[in-house]
């Protein structure tokens, strides 16, 4: 089986190539793509990280089962499915404890779901890493559930946001916007977001932000708004040193900094010293993954409590996938998520 797939061609370069898709091995499933997208992590892989040329790109997709390997009993050809962006074996200690994204046997970063920006892709560990998509969930939400929706909700969950808490979310890219929606859905009191791009500001307000501040003086404004108390939880959703420092500066004593930033461009992340980090908690989140997690995200969407379709700002054909990277890198036309379809 052949698959026209977007691959890394070199630093800051991708191109379309025809790849062989072998028959699925034990526990694996081959999926025919219905919709994929480009993630900020894809940009890190292409622009900053030493993934070898020829690596198939894309880890967010929804599709239809094409073929199943030995041992797969939960899926059959024709099922509409989505797989978490990080897959697991289902048998190691981490998987058994529910942290499928940290699978020992597949091992990071090789447990990433590669090749979703293609006509077909293969899912390993499908029994624990993939879920059927309910009829009430559209392709757009199924794609989002595989990574950024789960990550954004994870930032709020691991930040231990409680009903009525004041939350600040720095950066309103796709993950930050999902964190904003999560904070509103999970009962935060006041939600303050930090963003300067007008299109992102508008969507942030639509998804639940009470106040959107410009990054230039955001930390001082947040302290003023909270009578110098600080926020209960600050979410770092950009992956920059300055943003991380701002989160530390605005978090109250005994509060939590919850980071979902990918600091791929920075070899060192410096921890603020002195009064800005006394008796505070720092948590990081790698996309919560696996079938039960996907099913929970689908249930939220099907209930009508969460609607993230506004994140899809553009649509392209699969053959134009390299163009999507240029658009995302340059933030052309207010781009957030690009629906890539065959």
């Amino acid at each position: 089986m052949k698959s026209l797939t977007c691959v890394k061609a070199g630093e800051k370069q991708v191109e379309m190539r025809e790849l062989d898709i072998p028959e699925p091995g034990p526990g694996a499933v081959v999926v025919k793509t219905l919709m994929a997208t480009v993630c900020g992590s894809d940009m890190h892989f292409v622009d900053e990280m030493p993934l070898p040329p020829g690596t198939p790109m894309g880890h967010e997709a929804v599709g239809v089962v094409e073929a199943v390997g030995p041992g797969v009993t939960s899926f059959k050809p024709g099922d509409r499915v989505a797989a978490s962006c990080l897959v697991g074996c289902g048998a190691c200690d981490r998987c058994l404890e529910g942290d499928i994204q940290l699978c020992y046997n597949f091992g990071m970063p090789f447990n990433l779901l590669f090749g979703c920006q293609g006509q077909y892709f293969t899912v390993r560990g499908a029994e624990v890493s993939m879920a059927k998509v309910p009829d009430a969930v559209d392709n757009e939400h199924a794609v989002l559930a595989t990574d950024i929706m789960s990550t954004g909700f994870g930032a709020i969950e691991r930040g231990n946001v409680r009903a009525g808490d004041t939350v600040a979310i720095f950066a309103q890219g796709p993950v930050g916007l999902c964190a904003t929606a999560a904070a509103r859905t999970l009962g935060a009191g006041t939600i303050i977001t930090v963003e300067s791009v007008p299109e992102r500001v508008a969507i942030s307000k639509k998804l639940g932000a009470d106040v959107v501040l410009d990054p230039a003086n955001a930390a001082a404004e947040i302290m003023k708004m909270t009578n110098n108390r600080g926020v209960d939880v600050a979410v770092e959703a950009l992956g920059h040193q300055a943003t991380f420092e701002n989160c530390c500066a605005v978090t109250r004593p005994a509060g939590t900094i919850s980071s979902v930033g990918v600091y791929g461009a920075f070899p060192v992340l410096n921890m603020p010293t002195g009064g800005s980090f006394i008796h505070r908690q720092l948590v990081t989140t790698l996309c919560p993954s696996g079938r039960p997690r996907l099913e929970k995200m689908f249930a939220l969407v099907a209930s009508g409590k969460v609607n993230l379709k506004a994140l899809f700002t553009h649509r392209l054909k699969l053959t134009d996938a390299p163009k999507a990277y240029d658009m995302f890198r340059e933030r052309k036309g207010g781009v957030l998520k690009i629906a890539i379809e065959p």
Side-chain angles (χ1 to χ4, degrees), residues 131-309:
K132 294 178 183 178
V133 181
D135 291 342
V137 176
D138 54 34
N139 286 341
E140 289 85 352
H141 277 104
V143 169
L144 296 176
T146 66
D147 186 354
I148 66 166
M149 180 183 178
S150 182
T151 301
F153 271 75
I156 300 302
E157 292 164 328
R158 281 177 57 79
N160 195 29
V161 172
R162 294 173 291 188
D165 276 355
T166 298
V167 179
I169 302 168
F170 283 78
Q172 292 291 276
V175 172
L177 287 166
C178 287
T180 298
R184 178 57 66 215
T185 303
L186 298 178
T190 300
I191 301 171
I192 306 165
T193 63
V194 180
E195 182 56 64
S196 61
V197 178
E199 295 88 351
R200 298 184 178 193
V201 169
I203 297 176
S204 182
K205 292 177 179 178
K206 181 176 181 180
L207 293 181
D210 296 296
V211 179
V212 184
L213 300 176
D214 188 272
N217 200 36
E221 285 295 316
I222 289 171
M223 295 307 293
K224 182 179 178 181
M225 289 174 61
T226 59
N227 295 317
N228 286 319
R229 172 184 177 273
V231 300
D232 299 296
V233 180
V235 176
E236 203 291 283
L238 184 61
H240 284 185
Q241 177 72 42
T243 317
F244 176 70
E245 290 181 7
N246 280 336
C247 283
C248 295
V250 303
T251 301
R252 65 167 174 81
T256 301
I257 295 95
S258 178
S259 175
V260 285
V262 177
Y263 304 94
F266 304 96
V268 175
L269 179 66
N270 293 314
M271 178 73 73
T273 59
S276 65
F277 212 77
I278 292 175
H279 204 80
R280 290 159 172 86
Q281 301 174 84
L282 170 63
V283 297
T284 61
T285 300
L286 183 64
C287 179
S289 299
R291 177 184 53 77
R293 180 64 173 185
L294 286 167
E295 291 174 347
K296 287 184 178 180
M297 296 297 101
F298 295 157
L300 276 172
V301 172
S303 73
K305 292 181 174 64
V306 178
N307 189 331
L308 300 171
K309 288 191 73 169

Side-chain angles (χ1 to χ4, degrees), residues 80-96:
R80 187 166 66 113
V81 296
S84 292
C85 63
L86 294 159
V87 298
C89 69
C92 70
D93 289 349
R94 294 283 71 78
C95 284
L96 291 174

